[in-house]
Amino acid sequence: MMRQAGRYMAVYRKLAEKYPSFRVRSETVNLIVEISLQPWRAFRPDGVIIFSDILTPLPAFGVPFDIEEVKGPIITSPIRSEEGLKALHPIELDKLHFVGESLRILRNEVESGAAVLGFVGAPWTIATYIVEGCTTRTYATIKGMCHTAPHILKGLLSHLTQAITDYIVFQVNSGAQCIQIFDSWGGQLTPDMWEKWSKPYITEIVSKVRKGCPQIPLVLYINGNGGLLERMKGTGVDVIGLDWTVDMKDGRRRLGDGIGLQGNVDPAFLFSPLPALTEEIQRVVRCAGRRRHILNLGHGVLVGTPEEAVAHFFDVTRELRYDQLFGEDLAPDLASVL
């Protein structure tokens, strides 16, 4: 379940009161492990997601940042010039030792009870923060650079591509069994612009990771990806995550049976009466078909979501049977899910 740990859980809020800095919580091994395990202990999902952030690796290759409670991520020296590019250097993975240590501990903790999941941000999405300097609704500065300073933007994206590739391999070598690539803001581009400014860099990451870690499933998620599905498939990933604005049946039709799908229950359904949530889970699974589907939300768990609804989500999912949903005795081929 995306954004599995977090503020909807009372145990997390209590811990956050004691450690109010998000960076402290996400860069301290014992806190990372504790927070990562909170939802697993409560709900027993099939995957334990390391508690981290897509911006966590930035200081390791020369981009310091902070996270303010209200404003979110702040980068005091945005990179918008050739001079700014000079501050970048190859990723120093020893500076991310807390990620590696946490993944190793999580693997030992859950053993075969769940998969341990890591994640990264895609080059375009990471670049939006580095160029804009903060969260934005318009992406005007970086979109402008596509036309006014394309060589600088290409230099930044190329550097991020190598750094993110190295970071994925580092996570896998530390214990991650699946990696999700978040191109969260790729949906802010037109399909033609995404083809030029995001897809080639994701494709390069996938290709390089395949050579070093051929057994690791890779998932690609873009928020607002309805116009990009076929293009996303061309990156070579194993699974495409759908947000809730795409009908799962339409997504399966457009992408075919040869690729995995993830999603895509609207997180707002977790505020609905439980029978309505049950019906939506069943509908999504029926629309996805009999195999190669990872049930998930179409985006992260919303703040204020009732914990009993999250528990119900997992309980209903565990009780689902394909023969009941499709009216025939055809069990899912679990090996083909990823």
Side-chain angles (χ1 to χ4, degrees):
M1 180 176 282
M2 279 193 278
R3 215 171 286 162
Q4 191 160 281
R7 287 175 288 173
Y8 74 96
M9 295 191 74
V11 289
Y12 176 86
R13 294 195 300 272
K14 184 176 180 180
L15 186 146
E17 288 177 4
K18 186 176 181 180
Y19 303 97
S21 166
F22 177 84
R23 288 198 62 182
V24 168
R25 295 196 298 273
S26 61
E27 297 179 16
T28 305
V29 173
N30 65 311
L31 297 179
I32 295 171
V33 171
E34 173 60 25
I35 295 169
S36 301
L37 290 175
Q38 284 175 348
W40 189 67
R41 290 170 180 151
F43 312 118
R44 282 298 194 269
D46 295 326
V48 172
I49 306 167
I50 185 171
F51 182 75
S52 188
D53 191 84
I54 61 171
L55 301 185
T56 293
L58 266 60
F61 54 81
V63 184
F65 77 100
D66 201 1
I67 295 182
E68 297 185 5
E69 190 65 29
V70 177
K71 294 183 179 180
I74 301 293
I75 295 172
T76 54
S77 299
I79 294 178
R80 301 168 183 171
S81 65
E82 291 185 9
E83 190 66 28
L85 287 177
K86 294 177 182 178
L88 299 175
H89 55 74
I91 191 167
E92 298 174 347
L93 295 170
D94 59 312
K95 293 184 176 179
L96 297 166
H97 64 90
F98 51 87
V99 173
E101 291 173 29
S102 299
L103 285 167
R104 283 189 285 273
I105 294 171
L106 289 171
R107 278 294 298 272
N108 288 331
E109 285 285 332
V110 303
E111 296 181 328
S112 60
V116 174
L117 312 179
F119 64 90
V120 297
W124 170 264
T125 289
I126 299 296
T128 63
Y129 290 99
I130 294 175
V131 170
E132 299 285 348
C134 59
T135 303
T136 176
R137 293 184 178 181
T138 64
Y139 306 89
T141 303
I142 190 169
K143 285 184 176 182
M145 282 182 68
C146 294
H147 309 287
T148 61
H151 61 293
I152 295 171
L153 186 54
K154 287 179 180 178
L156 174 59
L157 290 168
S158 294
H159 190 92
L160 291 173
T161 297
Q162 187 59 55
I164 292 165
T165 299
D166 292 343
Y167 188 40
I168 290 176
V169 174
F170 171 71
Q171 290 188 47
V172 171
N173 290 338
S174 299
Q177 296 167 285
C178 177
I179 299 290
Q180 177 154 305
I181 302 169
F182 282 92
D183 195 10
S184 304
W185 309 132
Q188 297 295 321
L189 291 168
T190 66
D192 181 66
M193 291 289 280
W194 187 81
E195 284 269 4
K196 182 176 181 179
W197 292 103
S198 186
K199 181 181 178 180
Y201 302 99
I202 296 173
T203 303
E204 183 177 345
I205 289 171
V206 172
S207 176
K208 288 181 174 179
V209 171
R210 287 270 184 265
K211 292 178 182 178
C213 312
Q215 79 287 2
I216 294 299
L218 298 174
V219 184
L220 177 58
Y221 175 81
I222 299 177
N223 191 29
N225 61 7
L228 300 173
L229 295 187
E230 293 83 358
R231 292 172 168 86
M232 291 171 69
K233 186 177 181 180
T235 61
V237 294
D238 302 283
V239 179
I240 291 176
L242 304 183
D243 72 11
W244 72 91
T245 65
V246 178
D247 183 77
M248 179 59 75
K249 195 170 193 177
D250 187 46
R252 176 61 80 193
R253 179 187 61 78
R254 291 169 61 184
L255 292 169
D257 295 327
I259 191 166
L261 299 185
Q262 178 178 262
N264 63 342
V265 175
D266 183 347
F269 264 96
L270 294 171
F271 291 89
S272 304
L274 297 184
L277 175 58
T278 299
E279 290 178 6
E280 179 62 7
I281 291 169
Q282 293 173 343
R283 186 193 69 81
V284 168
V285 173
R286 279 195 297 267
C287 288
R290 298 177 175 86
R291 61 187 65 213
R292 300 186 70 82
H293 174 224
I294 303 169
L295 185 68
N296 204 327
L297 300 181
H299 201 266
V301 183
L302 299 171
V303 176
T305 295
E307 290 187 50
E308 59 265 31
V310 176
H312 185 74
F313 181 96
F314 288 115
D315 289 343
V316 169
T317 304
R318 274 189 289 267
E319 294 171 1
L320 289 179
R321 296 294 180 269
Y322 275 71
D323 55 340
Q324 295 173 358
L325 286 174
F326 294 99
E328 54 185 279
D329 188 12
L330 206 166
D333 178 5
L334 296 180
S336 72
V337 170
L338 289 175

